[in-house]
């Protein structure tokens, strides 16, 4: 039974794909610009982002304080809806992980999304969720991951990794890494091909995906990385950073600046919760991949940025670093969007388009 929960015209994702264009950055890297489907003004906010931002600024939505993790974890997720055909099966199993030395025993839930008539063994995507390493749950991503599994004809898994500050770095990263061992152990039962493994993640999940790639360097296990507005540099705001990097319409200045500031303001708090207050540790390449000394260990990588996201400058710079290291890179910028649009499947047509982009990349494996 189809589950078309789209709150937008069904043609919008097609319009985004058809309007995509390439521009060249200073170093010659191609940057793919994917447009808004119903707004043609340059540097405008996506109409859905603009409307929701106005509601937030009016006080219609109250966000818990960043240090109130219990409240943050219990707050309602962004609105999202299923848009798949209804033929994707979801199961939940418990991974019993023991750590490389057997001293870090824990049970982690793994959500598994399998499309009907899977051509097993199929590719597998391990998706690591965002949330500043401190929040995040399957409800934020279920519709997108269902649609991705269906569009790609692959198995998608979502490990419910341990969160900080209760479990600081590298606890969550270890959970994400050891998920791949679990998949290898149960590959036949799950119908997956461990020769076609992709890792993906958004925001903090992008950091975790990059960390897993480095931990698996030289193994050849991970064949594809797909990261959405990833956290790749946990250091201080660089001196070259400026609001001038984010041109916006004068009449939308308040709303656009608030979208940039939302993530910018959270960066300084990360070390307090993720590395127990050790700001220097935030520069560990396993957290901040921009500091990896040998980026050539990365496989084919897709780096996605949002026009009005504070992290955009470091995302696109990281894509350039990868390219300079000889990595095959696809860099994409979604115009009009802010940080976190992938969570709003069925509400943001860009999330649907991105699932299709990811599916096409997986089908190349």
């Amino acid at each position: 039974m189809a589950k078309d929960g789209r709150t937008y015209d069904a043609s919008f994702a097609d319009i985004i794909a058809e309007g995509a264009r390439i521009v060249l950055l200073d170093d010659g890297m191609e940057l793919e610009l994917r447009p808004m489907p119903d707004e043609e003004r340059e540097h405008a906010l996506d109409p859905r982002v603009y409307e929701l931002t106005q509601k937030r600024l009016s006080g219609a939505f109250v966000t818990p304080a960043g240090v109130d993790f219990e409240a943050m974890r219990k707050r309602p997720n962004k609105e999202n809806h299923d848009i798949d055909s209804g033929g994707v099966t979801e199961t939940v199993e418990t991974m019993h992980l023991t750590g490389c030395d057997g001293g870090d025993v824990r049970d982690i839930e793994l959500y598994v999304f399998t499309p009907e008539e899977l051509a097993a063994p199929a590719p597998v995507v391990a998706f690591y969720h965002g949330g500043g390493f401190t929040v995040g749950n399957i409800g934020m991503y279920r519709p997108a991951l269902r649609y991705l599994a269906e569009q790609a004809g692959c198995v998608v898994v979502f490990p419910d990794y341990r969160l900080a500050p209760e479990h600081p770095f590298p606890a969550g990263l270890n959970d994400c890494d050891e998920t791949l061992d679990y998949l290898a152990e149960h590959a036949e039962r799950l119908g997956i091909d461990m020769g076609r493994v992709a890792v993906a993640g958004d925001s903090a999940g992008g950091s975790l995906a990059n960390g897993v790639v480095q931990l698996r360097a030289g193994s050849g296990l991970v064949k594809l990385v797909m990261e959405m507005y990833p956290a790749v540099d946990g250091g201080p705001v660089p001196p070259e950073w400026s609001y001038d990097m984010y041109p916006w319409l004068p009449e939308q200045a308040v709303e656009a600046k608030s979208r940039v500031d939302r993530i910018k303001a959270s960066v300084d708090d990360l070390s307090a919760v993720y590395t127990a207050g050790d700001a220097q540790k935030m520069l560990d390449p396993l957290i901040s991949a921009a500091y990896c000394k040998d980026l050539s260990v990365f496989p084919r990588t897709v780096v996605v940025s949002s026009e009005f996201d504070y992290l955009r400058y470091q995302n696109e710079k990281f894509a350039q670093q990868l390219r300079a290291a000889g990595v095959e890179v696809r860099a994409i910028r979604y115009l009009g969007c802010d940080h976190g649009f992938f969570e709003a499947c069925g509400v943001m047509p860009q999330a649907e388009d991105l699932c299709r982009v990811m599916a096409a990349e997986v089908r190349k494996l």
Side-chain angles (χ1 to χ4, degrees):
M1 179 179 178
K3 294 186 175 184
D4 189 352
R6 294 174 180 84
T7 61
Y8 49 84
D9 190 287
S11 68
F12 277 10
D14 293 331
I15 293 172
I16 293 172
E18 292 165 2
R21 59 189 175 90
I22 300 292
V23 297
L24 294 180
L25 299 183
D26 292 342
D27 67 343
M29 187 184 78
E30 293 186 347
L31 175 64
E32 189 176 329
L33 303 180
R34 299 185 80 86
M36 294 169 281
D38 51 350
E39 169 61 87
E40 295 182 353
R41 292 177 297 172
E42 188 174 13
H43 304 311
L45 283 167
D46 178 272
R48 289 149 290 274
V49 174
Y50 182 67
E51 180 182 4
L52 186 57
T53 302
Q54 286 191 312
K55 290 180 179 179
R56 288 190 175 112
L57 294 174
S58 72
F61 300 119
V62 179
T63 301
V67 294
D68 190 346
F69 299 110
E70 182 176 359
M72 290 286 285
R73 292 168 187 170
K74 290 182 178 179
R75 67 176 176 173
N77 293 330
K78 293 178 182 176
E79 180 185 355
N80 59 25
H81 306 283
D82 289 330
I83 61 172
D84 63 278
S85 67
V88 177
T89 300
E90 175 184 346
T91 57
V92 185
E93 48 192 85
T94 300
M95 299 186 292
H96 185 66
L97 307 181
T98 60
C100 59
D101 59 359
D104 186 17
V105 179
R106 70 275 190 202
D107 289 335
I108 303 295
E109 285 190 332
L110 182 74
Y111 294 81
V112 182
F113 298 90
T114 307
E116 287 183 335
E117 301 178 2
L118 182 74
V124 61
V125 177
F127 183 87
Y128 309 131
H129 71 78
F133 307 104
T134 61
V135 300
N137 59 71
I138 186 60
M140 298 162 62
Y141 302 95
R142 178 178 280 113
L145 300 186
R146 290 180 60 91
Y147 189 63
L148 173 60
E150 179 180 78
Q151 291 293 303
C154 74
V155 177
V156 178
V157 299
F158 176 104
D160 194 14
Y161 63 84
R162 292 170 293 173
L163 298 173
E166 300 94 326
H167 304 283
F169 172 79
L173 175 59
N174 289 341
D175 294 344
C176 293
D177 178 50
E178 290 178 47
T179 294
L180 301 187
D181 294 327
Y182 181 87
L183 295 178
E185 183 179 352
H186 300 275
E188 184 175 358
R189 176 174 61 81
L190 295 173
I192 60 178
D193 179 359
M194 291 304 292
R196 293 185 286 170
V197 175
V199 295
D202 66 316
S203 193
S207 166
L208 293 168
N210 289 333
V212 168
V213 169
Q214 293 172 72
L215 290 174
R216 299 285 172 158
S219 70
L221 178 63
V222 179
K223 300 297 195 299
L224 170 67
V225 185
M226 300 179 289
E227 47 194 86
M228 293 81 85
Y229 33 84
V232 296
D233 186 349
V237 178
E240 66 270 19
W241 186 89
S242 167
Y243 284 111
D244 292 338
M245 295 177 173
Y246 312 85
W248 50 57
L249 298 179
E251 63 270 30
Q252 294 183 348
V254 173
E255 292 82 3
K257 185 174 183 293
S258 77
R259 297 297 81 207
V260 176
D261 285 344
R262 179 172 68 100
I263 300 302
K264 180 175 181 289
S266 68
V267 171
D268 290 339
D269 298 330
L270 277 181
S271 65
V273 295
Y274 192 44
T275 58
D278 186 346
Q280 187 63 31
K281 190 177 287 187
M282 289 298 298
L283 304 184
D284 187 319
L286 294 178
I287 299 174
S288 298
Y291 297 94
C292 176
K293 293 182 179 179
D294 184 11
L295 289 172
S296 69
V297 302
F298 274 68
R300 180 162 56 91
T301 303
V302 180
V303 181
V304 175
S305 62
S306 289
E307 183 175 12
F308 295 104
D309 179 6
Y310 165 74
L311 297 181
R312 173 167 61 80
Y313 81 93
Q314 59 175 255
N315 295 161
E316 294 169 8
K317 180 180 178 181
F318 181 58
Q320 291 174 303
Q321 289 179 260
L322 288 168
R323 179 176 178 270
V327 177
E328 181 183 349
V329 182
R330 183 179 181 184
I332 303 171
R333 181 194 297 176
Y334 278 88
L335 302 179
C337 290
D338 63 345
H339 192 87
F341 72 83
F342 189 68
E343 301 167 34
C345 183
V347 176
M348 291 292 293
Q350 291 87 348
E352 178 178 356
D353 177 71
L354 180 51
C355 284
R356 294 182 183 181
V357 168
M358 295 169 70
E361 295 292 337
V362 172
R363 289 195 297 270
K364 295 177 185 177
L365 293 176

